[in-house]
Amino acid sequence: MTDHGGAAPAQYGRVMLKISGEALMGDQGYGLHPPTVARIADEVESVQKMGVEVCMVIGGGNIFRGLQGSAQGMERTTADYMGMLATVMNALAMQSALEAKGLHCRVISAIRMDEVCEPYIRRRAIRHLEKKRIVIFAAGTGNPYFTTDTAATLRANEMNCEAIFKGTKVDGVYDKDPKKHSDAKRYGEVSYDEVLQKHLGVMDASAIALARDNRLPIIVFSLDEPGGFRGILEGKGTYTRVHN
């Protein structure tokens, strides 16, 4: 285990920001909290102003979680599609918040709904990024049984992103839950294999394996820290870097 305490990763030109749906609900128990959505939009704006191209994947757990619906007796495929639709709602909310700041943003869905957002076409999405538009990928991979973590890793590889930034409630990856254990230790750096072997909960196993196979680093940081996203790109802050 190493702890760099916030040493800088390389400057990235194009990154994927993955956040959970729960990150958008603030202190509420469910749904969207507009001031929280606006604060996250501020974080994205500050990074884009550095010249970094940003794409995003947002989960849907604040509205509907497929696995929970399945556990309550709903057929899994149907439950997962409902979860995908929840991610579209979150993506539209984030798009609205970003556009309110005068930023250009596109929501691109893996499930066609042309009246609401664009369908996923890889070359078109890359062109949006090249034109410095923020791209939000919605509806996961378009397939049931895959999480938004896997969708974020897939899209990050397809978009030739240089890193995935996973915004969470804590400032990195710990050996146990820091909110329950005062002696929890944070990893400064950790390998993909160690994350899988120790079940560290960074992302689900298929997402970690996909990142490992394509040598795509994952930066885990606290989304609750104002300026944290930009700070890491400037070589400051506290985070965990998952890599080979």
Side-chain angles (χ1 to χ4, degrees), residues 120-204:
Y120 177 68
I121 299 171
R122 177 177 174 270
R123 288 178 179 273
R124 182 186 292 176
I126 289 174
R127 187 67 180 136
H128 286 320
L129 290 170
E130 290 172 347
K131 290 183 176 180
K132 306 303 179 186
R133 295 168 182 155
I134 297 161
V135 175
I136 307 175
F137 294 106
T141 66
N143 301 289
Y145 296 94
F146 289 93
T147 67
T148 50
D149 282 344
T150 302
T153 311
L154 173 66
R155 296 294 184 234
N157 280 305
E158 290 179 308
M159 294 299 107
N160 302 315
C161 291
E162 295 164 48
I164 298 174
F165 279 70
K166 174 79 183 281
T168 69
K169 293 286 187 183
V170 292
D171 59 357
V173 180
Y174 285 77
D175 58 355
K176 47 192 165 184
D177 190 342
K179 295 183 179 179
K180 296 179 181 176
H181 304 276
S182 59
D183 61 341
K185 293 180 179 172
R186 186 178 58 80
Y187 293 84
E189 298 182 3
V190 63
S191 71
Y192 303 110
D193 289 336
E194 199 169 355
V195 167
L196 292 171
Q197 289 162 8
K198 295 184 177 179
H199 304 287
L200 293 176
V202 177
M203 288 179 161
D204 66 79

Side-chain angles (χ1 to χ4, degrees), residues 58-61 63-66 77-90 139-140 148:
I58 307 171
I63 298 170
F64 188 85
R65 189 177 288 279
T77 302
T78 299
D80 279 356
Y81 278 123
M82 291 174 69
M84 290 180 219
L85 294 176
T87 71
V88 177
M89 294 170 70
N90 284 339
T148 50

